[in-house]
Amino acid sequence: MTSIEILPLIALVAMFAIATFFPINIGILGFIGAFVVGYFALGYDDKEILTAFPSSIVLTIVGVTYFFGMAKRNGTIDLLVNSCIRAVNGRVTVVPWVFFFTASVLTALGTFSPAAVALIIPAAMAFAARTHMSPLVMGIMVINGAHAGAFSPISVSGVLVRDIVESNGLSIAPWTLFSSSYGINLLLSVLTVVGYAALARTRGLEFSATGSTDAAPLGGSRDGAPHRTTLPTGGGSSSSGAPGTRVLTRPVSTTLIDAAAPVTRAQKLTLFLIGALLVLVLVLHLPISFIAIAAGAVLAFTDLKKQNDAIADISWSTVLLVAGMVTYISILQEVGTIDHLAEMAITIGAPLIVAFVLCYVIGVTSAFASSTALLAAVIPLAMPLLGTGALPVVGVVAALAISATVVDVSPFSTNGALVLANAQNVERPRFYRQLLLNAGIVVAVAPALCWLILVVVPALL
C-alpha cells in the first residue's frame, strides 16, 4: 500500500478513537476527512466529494424518526406497549417477551435502534422493579428485541446494508437478512434468560430471571434487596395486642396491568397511518422516506403545538453519523484503500477464516464505537471476498451486521447507557460492572455464533 492509501486509513482509526473518548459525532469527522482526502489527494471539488452522499438513507432517517416522534408525542407508543401487556393478562414470565417483541416491531417499522430502546426501556425497567425481575435481563431483552428487527427491508440499518452491498455489484435477499438478525437475537435472549435463571438458582441472586407474581417490596436498599418496613399505627395495637408498630415482612401485591385508557382520535389515526405505511412500502414498494414524512405531516395537523418537538425528535446525530461515514468510506474506495485492505484480508488464508476474523474485528470494535459507522467501514472489506463466490453473500453480510450491533449491550453504547440510566433499585456502580461483564461475554461469544450459524453451516451445505 502506498502512503496515499495508508494515511486515510490512519485517519479513519483516529476518527474512531476521537469519537470514543470525546463527545464528538464521528460523522462530522468523516466529512472533514472526506474533504481533506478528496480535495488534496484526489483533486476533487465539493460536488465530486459528495457524489456518494447517502441522500436516500438520510431522508429515510429523517422521515421515520419524525413520524415516530409524532407517534410518541400523542401516546400511541405507550398505547401499543400497554395493549401488548394486557393481551397476555400481565403474565410476569411472558411480559419480558412482550417488550422484546414490541422493540423489534418498532425497529422493523423503521425506528432507529437507540430510539426504540429509549421509548421502551422506561416502562420495561419499571415493570422489572415491580416484579423483582433482574434489570440486567430485562435490559438485554429490550436491546436484543430492538436489534432483532433492526435489519428489516424498511429499517434504517437494513437499507444501509443493502445499499453498501448493491453499490459493490452484489445483491442480498432483504428478508433473509431480517430473519437471520431476528433468529440470532432471539437465540441470545433465550440463552440470557436460561443462563441467568441457572445462576439465580445456584448462587442465590437477589433478582429472578423472569420476575415474580409477588411485587417488589415497598422498601428496599439501593441494590434492590428487600428489608423490613415499619408503618406507624398511631398508638394502635399489633396482632399480638401490644401497642407499637406493625412490621411488613413480605411484599405487597401491586397491580401489574395498567387500566385501559380511551383511544384518542390522534392515536387511531396514527395506527391507521402505520398500517398504510406498511402496505405502501412492503406491497407497493414505495420509498419509506417520503411516505414516513407525509405520514408525520398528517399527524402534525392533529396537534400543531407538538410539531417543533417532533422535529427535535428527529435523530439528527444519526443523520450526521451515517452521512459523514458513508461519504468518507466512498473516498477511501476512490483512493484504493478499501480494495487493498480487502486483498490483504484474502491473503490470510481460507475464506472462512477471513470471515471469522472480520466478525471479531467488527464485534470487538463495536463495543466501544458506533455500530452504524462500523457497518459502513467494515462491510466493504468483505465485498472482494464475496465476489469470489466462495461464501454465501447474505450469510457473511448478516454475520458482520449482527456482530456489529449485538454487542450494543455495553454500557459504552447508547443502548447500554439507556439501560443503566433507567434501572431501578440497583447500585449503579455494581450494575455498571454487570453490564460490562455481560458485554464481554457477548463480545466473546456472539461473533463466533454468527459466523458458525450464518457462514459455516450454509457454506458446508
Side-chain angles (χ1 to χ4, degrees), residues 4-374:
I4 200 173
E5 296 169 342
I6 295 175
L7 290 177
L9 179 61
I10 295 175
L12 178 63
V13 175
M15 289 178 196
F16 279 106
I18 293 172
T20 299
F21 294 104
F22 299 96
I24 297 177
N25 191 303
I26 194 173
I28 294 176
L29 303 178
F31 279 123
I32 296 172
F35 170 73
V36 172
V37 176
Y39 186 82
F40 293 103
L42 299 176
Y44 286 178
D45 59 21
D46 57 340
K47 292 182 180 179
E48 290 173 314
I49 292 173
L50 294 174
T51 299
F53 182 86
S55 55
S56 176
I57 298 175
V58 167
L59 201 59
T60 297
I61 296 172
V62 171
V64 167
T65 54
Y66 173 58
F67 174 60
F68 278 96
M70 293 297 301
K72 175 187 175 183
R73 295 287 172 180
N74 65 26
T76 302
I77 301 300
D78 291 334
L79 172 68
L80 290 174
V81 172
N82 291 329
S83 297
C84 290
I85 294 176
R86 284 194 296 273
V88 297
N89 294 321
R91 296 186 186 92
V92 174
T93 57
V94 179
V95 170
W97 294 102
V98 171
F99 286 116
F100 174 96
F101 173 75
T102 305
S104 70
V105 169
L106 289 177
T107 52
L109 290 175
T111 306
F112 205 58
S113 174
V117 173
L119 291 172
I120 298 296
I121 202 66
M125 285 306 192
F127 186 87
R130 289 158 65 184
T131 59
H132 213 60
M133 175 184 175
S134 166
L136 178 65
V137 174
M138 180 62 88
I140 293 171
M141 294 283 285
V142 174
I143 293 175
N144 286 349
H147 290 155
F151 292 97
S152 77
I154 62 174
S155 68
V156 174
S157 298
V159 172
L160 172 64
V161 170
R162 289 204 316 277
D163 281 358
I164 293 174
V165 174
E166 291 172 0
S167 66
N168 285 272
L170 299 174
S171 61
I172 184 172
W175 286 107
T176 304
L177 175 64
F178 172 62
S179 60
S180 299
S181 174
Y182 211 103
I184 292 292
N185 281 282
L186 182 62
L187 174 61
L188 289 173
S189 296
V190 172
L191 293 176
T192 298
V193 172
V194 172
Y196 192 93
L199 282 175
R201 284 195 298 268
T202 57
R203 301 184 62 180
L205 300 181
E206 56 186 323
F207 296 111
S208 66
T210 55
S212 170
T213 52
D214 291 327
L218 282 177
S221 65
R222 286 182 302 166
D223 63 357
H227 64 245
R228 295 161 64 93
T229 304
T230 61
L231 297 179
T233 61
S237 62
S238 66
S239 58
S240 62
T245 60
R246 290 178 297 161
V247 179
L248 297 181
T249 58
R250 62 187 301 273
V252 295
S253 60
T254 304
T255 301
L256 300 179
I257 308 178
D258 294 331
V263 182
T264 65
R265 291 183 179 180
Q267 291 171 344
K268 292 179 181 178
L269 176 61
T270 303
L271 294 173
F272 170 78
L273 289 173
I274 291 175
L277 183 145
L278 291 176
V279 172
L280 293 174
V281 174
L282 297 179
V283 178
L284 301 181
H285 304 290
L286 295 178
I288 186 175
S289 53
F290 292 103
I291 301 300
I293 289 175
V298 171
L299 288 182
F301 283 100
T302 63
D303 192 345
L304 294 175
K305 294 181 180 179
K306 296 179 180 179
Q307 164 72 5
N308 290 333
D309 293 333
I311 292 177
D313 286 337
I314 294 175
S315 186
W316 297 113
S317 62
T318 304
V319 170
L320 274 175
L321 187 152
V322 172
M325 285 308 299
V326 170
T327 302
Y328 184 71
I329 295 301
S330 69
I331 294 295
L332 290 189
Q333 289 176 321
E334 293 291 332
V335 172
T337 303
I338 299 298
D339 291 337
H340 277 88
L341 284 175
E343 292 170 2
M344 292 172 62
I346 293 176
T347 60
I348 292 176
L352 283 175
I353 302 300
V354 176
F356 180 81
V357 171
L358 289 177
C359 282
Y360 267 98
V361 167
I362 197 171
V364 172
T365 310
S366 183
F368 304 94
S370 166
S371 301
T372 306
L374 282 169

